[in-house]
Amino acid sequence: MSQTDKGVKSSASLLEVRQLKKYFPVRGGVFGRIQNQVKAVDDVSFSLGRGQTLGLVGESGCGKSTLGRAVLYLQSPSSGEVYFEGERLDARNKPALLARRRDMQIIFQDPFASLSPRRTVAQIIREPLDVQQLGSAAERRERVEAQLNVVGLRQNALNRYPHEFSGGQRQRIGIARALVLDPKFIVADEPVSALDVSVQSQVLNLIEKLQADHGIAFLFISHDLAVIQHVSNVVAVMYLGRIVEQASATEIYRSPKHPYTQALLSAIPQPDPRRKPDRIVLQGDVPSPMNPPSGCTFHTRCPLAVEQCRLENPVLTKMNSSGTHQVACHLAE
């Protein structure tokens, strides 16, 4: 039996996602039969190298958070494959998946809802060590104290509860919990969206420092393009469950190819008030993921759409010789 047959794939990437889909059934009627499906994530593929940050950006409801949870198998994908260090993750192999969770962690979006109000900070940060049964009680305590120092909180925080902290401090507690197992990969699900601007910069600088010191790879999810530009090596733009453009951060901000990416970038506030922004205003609302349009799902709002866009679903196509810039648009050329 080959390595591929065993669920092991040779890869230089830390993480590889292949044709991932996550559909949620919509039930109705007297017997609760499945009547439709919400296509939250629809055929997404990408790879991520060690120590890199992939910024995932898009409007609210486009499937970003669902994709992050599906990659970690917090929500089992409907189909598709996830490889971590060449090994295929499988929800049916629970012991192997539990062992892999030491290397794959998440920072949740809401620092108010993601921390148990009934647990102290020490208990919250120690919980991953308890689940993984790592070290003695004294060693766990030592690791918890060390992580508290890493995220810039004092030791007197250990016996306090989440409601005693500000939003930025709570997010630091969540980051400490994600770091306590020394992971290689972290999904950061809009980790600064609920914070004030001044606190956002502190948390972002902390994440950048942690990446530089520990070589952690991040899937950084956000709807804020300015934040994504600040933290990412590679940027993927998501629309209605699909990635429509992916390139290096420098390339995608300098030369966006997809009309949706161009519209998002035009909405970034300009620091110079004398400079009149060239805004691209999209018409209409985002279609329902339960009943997405045929062809290109963006054609109902695209100012450049032609008949081909209504009939054919574009695939990600390489726009340069290295293949680092990919666009799913019939008119990208």
Side-chain angles (χ1 to χ4, degrees):
M1 183 181 289
S2 68
Q3 281 191 317
T4 303
D5 293 333
K6 293 179 181 178
V8 178
K9 183 173 182 174
S10 176
S11 172
S13 299
L14 178 69
L15 176 75
E16 286 195 41
V17 176
R18 302 287 183 181
Q19 298 178 310
L20 200 69
K21 296 182 180 181
K22 179 58 182 177
Y23 294 172
F24 294 97
V26 178
R27 300 180 182 274
V30 177
F31 300 102
R33 293 191 177 96
I34 297 176
Q35 296 183 336
N36 208 332
Q37 295 186 95
V38 175
K39 298 180 179 180
V41 178
D42 194 12
D43 198 15
V44 169
S45 301
F46 65 87
S47 62
L48 181 63
R50 298 177 188 274
Q52 288 189 330
T53 296
L54 172 64
L56 185 64
V57 66
E59 293 172 286
S60 297
C62 71
K64 304 186 300 297
S65 295
T66 303
L67 174 59
R69 290 169 181 263
V71 167
L72 296 178
Y73 275 79
L74 295 179
Q75 293 176 328
S76 296
S78 302
S79 65
E81 301 170 348
V82 179
Y83 292 90
F84 189 81
E85 292 187 320
E87 179 184 356
R88 181 177 175 180
L89 303 183
D90 192 337
R92 293 169 295 184
N93 189 349
K94 292 184 179 180
L97 189 59
L98 178 62
R100 272 300 180 190
R101 293 210 185 283
R102 300 179 187 180
D103 298 323
M104 306 169 68
Q105 292 292 304
I106 184 169
I107 302 169
F108 292 99
Q109 177 178 354
D110 189 348
F112 299 93
S114 62
L115 305 179
S116 172
R118 299 180 180 180
R119 289 173 170 254
T120 64
V121 170
Q123 291 171 329
I124 289 170
I125 299 175
R126 195 186 65 223
E127 184 177 11
L129 298 173
D130 295 338
V131 172
Q132 296 286 344
Q133 299 180 347
L134 296 178
S136 64
E139 289 171 336
R140 294 178 192 181
R141 175 81 180 188
E142 184 179 345
R143 291 185 70 169
V144 169
E145 292 175 351
Q147 290 307 321
L148 212 61
N149 289 329
V150 168
V151 299
L153 292 176
R154 297 179 180 178
Q155 295 300 311
N156 61 11
L158 286 171
N159 295 319
R160 296 164 63 187
Y161 290 86
H163 73 270
E164 301 179 63
F165 297 90
S166 68
Q169 290 172 321
R170 293 187 198 188
Q171 197 60 286
R172 288 171 182 264
I173 295 169
I175 293 172
R177 177 176 58 184
L179 289 173
V180 74
L181 292 174
D182 294 326
K184 300 174 183 177
F185 168 63
I186 293 178
V187 173
D189 186 7
E190 303 214 33
V192 297
S193 64
L195 306 178
D196 294 336
V197 174
S198 59
V199 181
Q200 284 186 15
S201 62
Q202 296 174 16
V203 174
L204 289 174
N205 290 336
L206 172 61
I207 290 175
E208 283 193 315
K209 184 178 185 302
L210 292 172
Q211 185 175 44
D213 293 344
H214 302 280
I216 303 170
F218 280 89
L219 174 60
F220 195 100
I221 299 170
S222 179
H223 62 272
D224 190 330
L225 279 158
V227 170
I228 288 292
Q229 184 180 24
H230 181 67
V231 301
S232 303
N233 305 108
V234 179
V235 176
V237 181
M238 197 169 184
Y239 183 80
L240 213 62
R242 298 175 179 174
I243 291 179
V244 296
E245 185 165 7
Q246 181 173 315
S248 68
T250 301
E251 181 70 16
I252 210 164
Y253 283 85
R254 181 180 61 195
S255 181
K257 303 296 184 183
H258 198 281
Y260 180 60
T261 309
Q262 295 168 358
L264 290 179
L265 290 175
S266 74
I268 297 177
Q270 298 294 331
D272 187 352
R274 297 169 297 180
R275 181 180 176 184
K276 185 177 179 180
D278 188 15
R279 291 290 303 274
I280 301 174
V281 180
L282 299 177
Q283 303 299 319
D285 297 324
V286 179
S288 169
M290 191 164 57
N291 187 27
S294 60
C296 175
T297 54
F298 184 62
H299 84 259
T300 57
R301 305 175 70 198
C302 181
L304 306 175
V306 296
E307 187 63 20
Q308 184 184 13
C309 303
R310 300 179 179 89
L311 299 176
E312 299 178 19
N313 180 25
V315 297
L316 279 172
T317 304
K318 297 177 182 179
M319 300 300 296
N320 53 14
S321 58
S322 62
T324 56
H325 195 157
Q326 302 178 68
V327 184
C329 179
H330 296 303
L331 307 177
E333 294 295 341

